[in-house]
Amino acid sequence: MMASSDHSHVNIVVDLPKELAADFEDVRQRDPDFLERAIQYALARRIIFEELTSPVAPRR
């Protein structure tokens, strides 16, 4: 498990349709931590998927 000092924050800028951007802003105002948790979850799933589907390196 990572210690809190092992983390760093980044800002992500994306172009979204106005309707979707408005929905995101509404969610961000209601629950500021939700989008952070959702992005962390999505990234973790992606990393796990890539690890599980990558070819296994031969052992020496």
Side-chain angles (χ1 to χ4, degrees), residues 43-53:
L43 289 173
R45 283 183 57 111
R46 178 63 183 226
I47 290 166
I48 292 168
F49 175 79
E50 288 179 1
E51 286 292 319
L52 292 173
T53 60

Side-chain angles (χ1 to χ4, degrees), residues 9-23:
H9 291 274
V10 296
N11 290 320
I12 298 174
V13 177
V14 294
D15 291 322
L16 298 172
K18 288 183 181 185
E19 299 81 20
L20 188 55
D23 289 344

Side-chain angles (χ1 to χ4, degrees), residues 13-34:
V13 177
V14 294
D15 291 322
L16 298 172
K18 288 183 181 185
E19 299 81 20
L20 188 55
D23 289 344
F24 268 74
E25 184 60 26
D26 184 44
V27 169
R28 187 187 68 78
Q29 294 212 359
R30 283 194 323 248
D31 186 355
D33 295 327
F34 174 78

